[in-house]
């Protein structure tokens, strides 16, 4: 009870962030249909090419659409703040790639997956062995096709940095991991994940804004760990939040400090909407931790609507416990040849989808 009261008090101290909540809600209402349409244009076709099982395709599609909506709205909120107009196709592809990548790297589906994904981000060709991995390769190729060569180099450099911290995060299952290492993982994962997403929206990030974006990313990672405390404890994953070294009050304080930096960088107009989004994330996190039954009921209701899917946490795109067909390498014969039950078109061979969105990234 005391902890819950302290968290509610921490939320009230973020009252200035809440001033932008109506603007953030209105912005989400205006953009969500466009994100869903873009998902249908560029992500849904890849599922049909790569995932042959109808049930798995439907389940993965729901997960990727949810994440594309959630990350898409966050990226578009940043775009509004930074006065950019990104391609909606890039935005939804980035959200889908984030979901797939996290599930592949955290799911222990294949001990070599980290090496193969490192090769992908390093520009080296390596044959993907999992359906989810093939889907990620296709999506990453679609993102690369839509950005310039110079922007591509910067984005993939940031991806390689993120990947190293993601691989380090496997140590979070060690019982004796130190808070210093946990802090390194939290800062590295959060900072570089947000940097990649923001660079796709605004390729011309300056040094000051780059540092701001990375500090926001660290706070997002802390918030994500706060929300996942109970699940992480059940799964034997240690975070700063699970050790109570990071609380909702700490996260709220970081957001308030970052608000002042955002005002200096972007001015009041854009900052208000973005801060409204931050307050909504805080409110959602508190509800998830302290009112889980209400959150589950609301999540089921929102999950039945593609328009409201962004309000749910969403399921993993790839199952972590059951190594079924979607996460299992093809069985091999005695001669070492992979047995294929059904021929599927490889991502690199797929017919390229025409980009129909008329919006263009920032100059």
């Amino acid at each position: 009870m005391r902890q819950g009261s302290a968290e509610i008090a921490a939320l009230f101290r973020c009252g200035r962030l809440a001033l932008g909540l109506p603007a953030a809600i209105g912005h989400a209402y205006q953009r969500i249909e466009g994100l869903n349409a873009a998902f249908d244009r560029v992500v849904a076709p890849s599922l049909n090419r790569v995932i042959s099982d109808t049930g798995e395709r439907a389940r993965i599609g729901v997960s990727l659409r949810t994440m594309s909506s959630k990350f898409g709205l966050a990226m578009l909120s940043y775009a509004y703040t930074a006065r950019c107009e990104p391609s909606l196709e890039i935005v939804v592809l980035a959200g889908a790639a984030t979901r797939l990548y996290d599930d592949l790297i955290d799911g222990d589906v294949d001990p070599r997956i980290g090496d193969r994904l490192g090769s992908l981000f390093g520009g080296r060709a390596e044959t993907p062995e999992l359906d989810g991995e093939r889907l990620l390769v296709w999506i990453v190729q679609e993102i690369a096709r839509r950005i310039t060569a110079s922007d591509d180099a910067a984005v993939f450099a940031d991806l390689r940095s993120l990947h190293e911290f993601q691989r380090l995060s496997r140590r979070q299952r060690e019982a004796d991991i130190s808070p210093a290492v946990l802090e390194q993982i939290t800062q590295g994962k959060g900072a570089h994940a947000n940097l990649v997403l923001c660079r796709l929206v605004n390729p011309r990030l300056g040094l000051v804004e780059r540092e701001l974006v990375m500090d926001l990313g660290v706070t997002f990672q802390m918030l994500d760990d706060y929300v996942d405390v109970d699940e992480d404890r059940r799964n034997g994953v240690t975070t700063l939040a699970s050790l109570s070294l990071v609380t909702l009050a700490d996260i709220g304080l970081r957001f308030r400090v970052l608000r002042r930096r955002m005002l200096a960088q972007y001015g009041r107009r854009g900052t208000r909407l973005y801060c409204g989004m931050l307050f909504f994330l805080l409110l959602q996190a508190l509800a998830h931790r302290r009112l889980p039954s209400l959150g589950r009921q609301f999540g089921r209701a929102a999950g039945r609507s593609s328009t409201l899917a962004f309000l749910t946490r969403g399921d993993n795109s790839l199952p972590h416990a059951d190594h079924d067909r979607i996460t299992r390498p093809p069985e091999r014969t005695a001669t070492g040849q992979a047995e294929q039950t059904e021929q599927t078109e490889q991502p690199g061979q797929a017919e390229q989808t025409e980009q129909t969105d008329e919006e263009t990234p920032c100059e």
Side-chain angles (χ1 to χ4, degrees):
M1 177 66 75
R2 176 180 295 181
Q3 182 65 26
S5 299
E7 290 172 339
I8 292 173
L11 197 65
F12 273 104
R13 286 195 291 272
C14 296
R16 288 190 175 182
L17 300 179
L19 295 175
L21 192 56
I25 293 172
H27 184 257
Y29 177 79
Q30 293 170 3
R31 305 308 298 264
I32 191 63
E33 288 297 341
L35 289 171
N36 277 315
F39 182 92
D40 290 335
R41 287 196 299 271
V42 297
V43 180
S46 69
L47 288 167
N48 296 329
R49 294 186 179 101
V50 179
I51 309 301
S52 59
D53 183 88
T54 304
E56 288 299 323
R57 187 192 308 150
R59 184 183 63 78
I60 295 171
V62 170
S63 176
L64 297 189
R65 185 183 295 276
T66 299
M67 191 57 72
S68 289
S69 298
K70 290 172 70 71
F71 274 76
L73 288 174
M75 293 170 73
L76 291 177
S77 294
Y78 166 71
Y80 178 88
T81 301
R83 293 176 171 82
C84 296
E85 272 298 338
S87 160
L88 291 184
E89 279 85 357
I90 287 180
V91 168
V92 296
L93 286 165
T98 300
R99 172 86 271 179
L100 278 170
Y101 173 71
D102 284 349
D103 290 346
L104 284 166
I105 202 70
D106 293 337
D108 295 324
V109 296
D110 185 335
R112 292 189 58 248
I113 188 68
D115 292 335
R116 293 200 302 275
L117 293 180
S119 297
L120 170 64
F121 300 146
R124 301 184 300 277
E126 187 163 343
T127 303
E129 297 183 10
L130 313 174
D131 279 354
E133 189 181 357
R134 281 187 281 273
L135 185 56
L136 177 62
V137 169
W138 188 92
I139 290 174
V140 169
Q141 288 174 346
E142 284 297 293
I143 293 174
R145 190 172 69 84
R146 286 170 163 81
I147 58 180
T148 67
S150 59
D151 296 338
D152 180 280
V155 167
F156 276 83
D158 295 334
L159 273 173
R160 288 191 293 274
S161 297
L162 169 63
H163 187 59
E164 291 307 310
F165 285 105
Q166 286 281 14
R167 298 183 73 170
L168 181 63
S169 70
R170 290 178 178 272
R171 292 192 56 190
Q172 289 178 265
R173 296 183 182 275
E174 298 175 1
D176 59 348
I177 188 171
S178 69
V181 175
L182 288 173
E183 184 173 1
Q184 181 185 6
I185 292 169
T186 302
Q187 291 183 350
K189 284 174 57 178
H192 288 93
N194 200 45
L195 179 60
V196 169
L197 296 176
C198 290
R199 198 184 291 280
L200 287 172
V201 171
N202 180 14
R204 306 295 182 259
L205 281 171
L207 179 60
V208 173
E209 187 177 8
R210 182 177 183 273
E211 292 176 352
L212 173 58
V213 160
M214 293 179 77
D215 286 343
L216 279 164
V218 173
T219 314
F220 290 146
Q221 183 64 50
M222 291 178 174
L223 185 62
D224 190 59
D225 290 341
Y226 164 84
V227 172
D228 290 339
V229 161
D230 294 333
E231 181 181 351
D232 285 340
R233 286 172 176 165
R234 287 194 300 269
N235 295 331
V237 176
T238 305
T239 65
L240 293 173
S242 71
L243 296 177
S244 299
L245 297 177
V246 166
T247 66
L248 193 67
D250 299 323
I251 296 166
L253 175 59
R254 285 182 64 94
F255 277 150
R256 297 201 303 274
V257 172
L258 287 165
R259 174 183 174 272
R260 293 196 289 268
R261 292 171 59 186
M262 290 178 66
L263 284 169
Q265 179 70 34
Y266 306 115
R268 190 170 300 276
R269 170 182 170 272
T271 298
R272 172 170 290 200
L273 184 147
Y274 197 85
C275 287
M277 181 201 71
L278 298 182
F279 186 81
F280 177 80
L281 293 177
L282 289 170
L283 192 63
Q284 192 177 39
L286 181 60
H288 178 81
R289 285 291 307 278
R290 302 307 168 192
L291 300 170
S293 60
L294 179 62
R296 284 192 294 271
Q297 293 176 11
F298 179 78
R300 283 193 291 269
R304 289 192 287 269
S305 167
S306 61
T307 303
L308 298 178
F310 74 96
L311 296 174
T312 71
R313 284 184 54 75
D315 296 325
N316 294 329
S317 60
L318 307 177
H320 287 189
D322 299 326
H323 293 193
D324 58 10
R325 189 186 60 78
I326 193 65
T327 60
R328 188 171 60 227
E331 294 182 0
R332 296 185 177 274
T333 64
T335 60
Q337 296 296 318
E339 292 183 346
Q340 302 267 339
T341 59
E342 184 172 347
Q343 183 69 30
T344 59
E345 191 173 6
Q346 294 299 316
Q349 299 169 333
E351 181 181 353
Q352 300 291 348
T353 304
E354 289 296 324
Q355 183 174 352
T356 59
D357 197 304
E358 296 180 355
E359 298 170 330
T360 56
C362 299
E363 293 295 335

